[in-house]
Amino acid sequence: MIALAAYRLAAYVRSHRVFQALLLTLALLAIVHGSRAPKGAEATVLVDGAVLLVPVLAWAARSLLDTEPDRQREMSAIQVGGRGKEVAAGLLAAFTACAVFAALGLGWALLAGVSGSPTSGLLLVALVLYVLAALAGTALGALTSRAILPSPAFSIMGLLLGFLAMLLLSSTSLYWLTVPLISWMKAANTGELLGRFPELAAISLAWCLLGLATYGWLRRRS
Protein backbone atom coordinates (compact mmCIF):
# COMPACT_ATOMS: atom_id res chain seq x y z
CA MET A 1 0.00 0.00 0.00
CA ILE A 2 2.84 2.40 0.85
CA ALA A 3 4.53 1.51 -2.44
CA LEU A 4 1.31 2.25 -4.32
CA ALA A 5 0.95 5.60 -2.55
CA ALA A 6 4.53 6.50 -3.50
CA TYR A 7 3.87 5.38 -7.08
CA ARG A 8 0.83 7.64 -7.30
CA LEU A 9 2.75 10.58 -5.92
CA ALA A 10 5.51 9.99 -8.45
CA ALA A 11 2.96 9.73 -11.26
CA TYR A 12 1.34 12.96 -10.09
CA VAL A 13 4.67 14.75 -10.33
CA ARG A 14 5.72 13.18 -13.63
CA SER A 15 2.37 14.05 -15.22
CA HIS A 16 3.06 17.74 -14.43
CA ARG A 17 -0.39 18.01 -12.82
CA VAL A 18 1.41 18.97 -9.64
CA PHE A 19 2.40 22.28 -11.23
CA GLN A 20 -1.25 23.30 -11.61
CA ALA A 21 -1.78 23.13 -7.87
CA LEU A 22 1.66 24.58 -7.17
CA LEU A 23 1.05 27.64 -9.34
CA LEU A 24 -2.39 28.17 -7.78
CA THR A 25 -0.85 27.89 -4.32
CA LEU A 26 1.95 30.33 -5.09
CA ALA A 27 -0.45 32.83 -6.67
CA LEU A 28 -2.83 32.64 -3.71
CA LEU A 29 -0.06 33.03 -1.15
CA ALA A 30 1.45 35.96 -3.05
CA ILE A 31 -1.91 37.74 -2.92
CA VAL A 32 -2.83 36.87 0.67
CA HIS A 33 0.62 37.68 2.06
CA GLY A 34 1.48 40.50 -0.32
CA SER A 35 2.26 42.73 2.67
CA ARG A 36 3.04 41.93 6.27
CA ALA A 37 0.19 42.21 8.72
CA PRO A 38 0.74 44.45 11.77
CA LYS A 39 1.76 42.99 15.10
CA GLY A 40 -1.14 41.43 16.95
CA ALA A 41 -2.78 40.10 13.77
CA GLU A 42 -0.79 36.88 13.64
CA ALA A 43 -3.79 34.64 14.38
CA THR A 44 -5.90 36.24 11.68
CA VAL A 45 -3.20 35.93 9.04
CA LEU A 46 -2.42 32.30 9.82
CA VAL A 47 -6.05 31.17 9.95
CA ASP A 48 -7.13 33.10 6.85
CA GLY A 49 -4.33 31.47 4.89
CA ALA A 50 -5.37 28.00 6.03
CA VAL A 51 -9.01 28.58 5.06
CA LEU A 52 -8.24 30.02 1.63
CA LEU A 53 -5.94 27.10 0.84
CA VAL A 54 -8.70 24.49 1.23
CA PRO A 55 -10.08 24.68 -2.35
CA VAL A 56 -6.55 24.60 -3.79
CA LEU A 57 -5.74 21.56 -1.67
CA ALA A 58 -8.98 19.92 -2.81
CA TRP A 59 -7.95 20.59 -6.41
CA ALA A 60 -4.57 18.98 -5.74
CA ALA A 61 -6.15 15.88 -4.15
CA ARG A 62 -8.64 15.54 -6.99
CA SER A 63 -5.91 15.90 -9.62
CA LEU A 64 -3.71 13.31 -7.95
CA LEU A 65 -6.52 10.76 -7.67
CA ASP A 66 -7.50 11.39 -11.30
CA THR A 67 -3.96 10.93 -12.64
CA GLU A 68 -4.20 7.15 -12.66
CA PRO A 69 -6.41 5.71 -15.46
CA ASP A 70 -9.48 3.76 -14.35
CA ARG A 71 -8.17 0.41 -15.59
CA GLN A 72 -4.84 0.98 -13.90
CA ARG A 73 -6.70 1.70 -10.65
CA GLU A 74 -8.49 -1.65 -10.95
CA MET A 75 -5.18 -3.42 -11.57
CA SER A 76 -3.67 -1.66 -8.54
CA ALA A 77 -6.49 -2.98 -6.35
CA ILE A 78 -5.65 -6.52 -7.46
CA GLN A 79 -1.91 -6.05 -6.93
CA VAL A 80 -2.18 -4.67 -3.38
CA GLY A 81 -4.71 -7.26 -2.27
CA GLY A 82 -8.07 -5.52 -2.37
CA ARG A 83 -10.06 -2.38 -3.03
CA GLY A 84 -9.67 -1.19 0.55
CA LYS A 85 -5.89 -0.99 0.36
CA GLU A 86 -6.06 0.68 -3.05
CA VAL A 87 -8.44 3.33 -1.70
CA ALA A 88 -6.27 3.87 1.38
CA ALA A 89 -3.15 4.25 -0.78
CA GLY A 90 -4.87 6.89 -2.89
CA LEU A 91 -6.01 8.83 0.15
CA LEU A 92 -2.55 8.61 1.71
CA ALA A 93 -0.95 9.94 -1.47
CA ALA A 94 -3.53 12.73 -1.76
CA PHE A 95 -3.11 13.76 1.88
CA THR A 96 0.68 13.76 1.52
CA ALA A 97 0.46 16.11 -1.45
CA CYS A 98 -2.00 18.36 0.40
CA ALA A 99 0.22 18.36 3.49
CA VAL A 100 3.20 19.54 1.41
CA PHE A 101 1.19 22.43 -0.04
CA ALA A 102 -0.21 23.26 3.40
CA ALA A 103 3.31 23.32 4.84
CA LEU A 104 4.31 25.70 2.05
CA GLY A 105 1.38 27.92 2.99
CA LEU A 106 2.21 27.92 6.68
CA GLY A 107 5.89 28.59 6.04
CA TRP A 108 5.09 31.48 3.69
CA ALA A 109 2.69 32.99 6.24
CA LEU A 110 5.30 32.83 9.01
CA LEU A 111 8.12 34.21 6.87
CA ALA A 112 6.30 36.88 4.87
CA GLY A 113 2.82 37.35 6.31
CA VAL A 114 3.34 38.43 9.91
CA SER A 115 5.38 41.18 11.52
CA GLY A 116 5.76 39.61 14.94
CA SER A 117 6.54 36.10 16.08
CA PRO A 118 3.44 34.13 17.13
CA THR A 119 3.40 32.58 20.57
CA SER A 120 4.16 28.88 20.92
CA GLY A 121 0.49 28.20 21.69
CA LEU A 122 -0.71 30.03 18.59
CA LEU A 123 1.93 28.35 16.46
CA LEU A 124 0.78 24.91 17.63
CA VAL A 125 -2.86 25.80 16.95
CA ALA A 126 -1.96 27.10 13.48
CA LEU A 127 -0.04 23.91 12.73
CA VAL A 128 -3.05 21.78 13.66
CA LEU A 129 -5.41 23.95 11.61
CA TYR A 130 -3.21 23.62 8.54
CA VAL A 131 -3.22 19.83 9.01
CA LEU A 132 -7.02 19.97 9.27
CA ALA A 133 -7.11 22.11 6.12
CA ALA A 134 -5.08 19.41 4.36
CA LEU A 135 -7.53 16.77 5.60
CA ALA A 136 -10.52 18.85 4.50
CA GLY A 137 -8.96 19.40 1.08
CA THR A 138 -8.22 15.68 0.75
CA ALA A 139 -11.80 14.73 1.63
CA LEU A 140 -13.37 17.30 -0.68
CA GLY A 141 -11.02 16.45 -3.52
CA ALA A 142 -11.62 12.72 -3.11
CA LEU A 143 -15.41 13.10 -3.08
CA THR A 144 -15.24 15.06 -6.34
CA SER A 145 -12.69 12.82 -8.07
CA ARG A 146 -13.43 10.92 -11.28
CA ALA A 147 -14.13 7.67 -9.45
CA ILE A 148 -17.11 9.34 -7.74
CA LEU A 149 -18.12 11.99 -10.32
CA PRO A 150 -17.08 10.81 -13.80
CA SER A 151 -18.11 14.07 -15.48
CA PRO A 152 -15.34 16.70 -15.31
CA ALA A 153 -17.93 19.49 -15.34
CA PHE A 154 -19.88 18.06 -12.41
CA SER A 155 -16.63 17.27 -10.63
CA ILE A 156 -15.37 20.86 -10.77
CA MET A 157 -18.78 22.27 -9.89
CA GLY A 158 -19.04 19.84 -6.99
CA LEU A 159 -15.67 20.94 -5.65
CA LEU A 160 -16.49 24.64 -5.83
CA LEU A 161 -20.02 24.23 -4.50
CA GLY A 162 -18.76 21.99 -1.71
CA PHE A 163 -16.31 24.65 -0.58
CA LEU A 164 -18.94 27.38 -0.84
CA ALA A 165 -21.34 25.23 1.19
CA MET A 166 -18.68 24.92 3.89
CA LEU A 167 -18.27 28.68 4.00
CA LEU A 168 -21.98 29.48 4.01
CA LEU A 169 -22.98 26.87 6.57
CA SER A 170 -20.06 27.60 8.88
CA SER A 171 -21.05 31.28 8.96
CA THR A 172 -24.35 30.40 10.65
CA SER A 173 -25.28 28.99 14.04
CA LEU A 174 -25.24 25.55 12.38
CA TYR A 175 -21.47 25.69 11.88
CA TRP A 176 -21.14 22.29 13.54
CA LEU A 177 -22.80 20.70 10.48
CA THR A 178 -19.66 21.13 8.41
CA VAL A 179 -15.97 21.94 8.69
CA PRO A 180 -16.37 25.33 10.44
CA LEU A 181 -13.98 27.37 8.29
CA ILE A 182 -15.68 30.71 8.90
CA SER A 183 -15.81 29.94 12.61
CA TRP A 184 -12.02 29.51 12.50
CA MET A 185 -11.73 32.98 11.01
CA LYS A 186 -14.22 34.55 13.42
CA ALA A 187 -12.43 33.07 16.42
CA ALA A 188 -9.09 34.38 15.15
CA ASN A 189 -10.48 37.87 14.51
CA THR A 190 -12.10 38.12 17.96
CA GLY A 191 -9.13 36.72 19.89
CA GLU A 192 -11.02 33.57 20.89
CA LEU A 193 -9.05 31.12 18.79
CA LEU A 194 -7.10 29.49 21.63
CA GLY A 195 -10.18 29.19 23.81
CA ARG A 196 -12.41 27.72 21.10
CA PHE A 197 -9.71 25.61 19.51
CA PRO A 198 -10.66 22.26 21.12
CA GLU A 199 -14.29 22.59 20.00
CA LEU A 200 -13.50 23.75 16.48
CA ALA A 201 -10.73 21.19 16.01
CA ALA A 202 -12.97 18.33 17.17
CA ILE A 203 -15.80 19.36 14.81
CA SER A 204 -13.39 19.79 11.91
CA LEU A 205 -11.68 16.45 12.48
CA ALA A 206 -15.02 14.64 12.79
CA TRP A 207 -16.28 16.01 9.47
CA CYS A 208 -13.00 15.35 7.69
CA LEU A 209 -13.01 11.73 8.85
CA LEU A 210 -16.66 11.40 7.87
CA GLY A 211 -15.88 12.71 4.39
CA LEU A 212 -12.97 10.29 3.98
CA ALA A 213 -15.09 7.39 5.27
CA THR A 214 -17.86 8.30 2.82
CA TYR A 215 -15.38 8.26 -0.03
CA GLY A 216 -14.07 4.87 1.09
CA TRP A 217 -17.61 3.49 1.32
CA LEU A 218 -18.56 4.79 -2.13
CA ARG A 219 -15.38 3.38 -3.66
CA ARG A 220 -15.83 -0.05 -2.10
CA ARG A 221 -19.35 -0.21 -3.52
CA SER A 222 -18.38 0.98 -6.99
Side-chain angles (χ1 to χ4, degrees):
M1 189 184 76
I2 300 298
L4 179 57
Y7 167 78
R8 284 178 167 166
L9 280 169
Y12 179 53
V13 174
R14 288 198 302 269
S15 70
H16 295 170
R17 289 190 175 196
V18 65
F19 295 110
Q20 299 173 3
L22 178 60
L23 291 175
L24 282 173
T25 301
L26 294 178
L28 176 65
L29 294 175
I31 295 172
V32 174
H33 305 303
S35 59
R36 292 183 182 273
K39 289 185 178 181
E42 291 83 7
T44 300
V45 172
L46 294 174
V47 173
D48 288 356
V51 170
L52 294 174
L53 271 177
V54 170
V56 178
L57 299 178
W59 180 280
R62 171 183 171 274
S63 297
L64 185 146
L65 293 171
D66 287 352
T67 299
E68 191 174 38
D70 295 334
R71 294 303 180 187
Q72 177 63 44
R73 189 166 56 241
E74 294 174 5
M75 292 176 60
S76 297
I78 297 173
Q79 292 173 340
V80 297
R83 181 64 62 82
K85 290 183 178 180
E86 182 269 322
V87 170
L91 291 176
L92 177 60
F95 175 71
T96 301
C98 288
V100 170
F101 288 122
L104 175 62
L106 178 58
W108 193 312
L110 292 173
L111 293 174
V114 296
S115 299
S117 299
T119 63
S120 57
L122 176 58
L123 186 58
L124 178 60
V125 167
L127 177 61
V128 174
L129 290 182
Y130 273 81
V131 172
L132 290 172
L135 272 176
T138 301
L140 181 57
L143 289 171
T144 55
S145 62
R146 188 174 64 246
I148 306 299
L149 295 175
S151 169
F154 285 122
S155 174
I156 294 173
M157 286 194 303
L159 191 155
L160 295 176
L161 291 176
F163 177 66
L164 289 176
M166 283 185 189
L167 295 180
L168 292 175
L169 195 55
S170 63
S171 65
T172 69
S173 58
L174 300 176
Y175 64 89
W176 48 271
L177 289 176
T178 185
V179 180
L181 300 178
I182 296 298
S183 296
W184 294 6
M185 300 172 74
K186 287 181 178 178
N189 286 326
T190 58
E192 300 175 349
L193 181 61
L194 297 182
R196 296 193 60 194
F197 171 71
E199 173 202 3
L200 297 177
I203 295 172
S204 302
L205 179 61
W207 279 106
C208 289
L209 294 179
L210 179 61
L212 295 174
T214 301
Y215 171 76
W217 180 76
L218 291 172
R219 284 294 315 281
R220 289 178 71 90
R221 290 176 60 87
S222 61

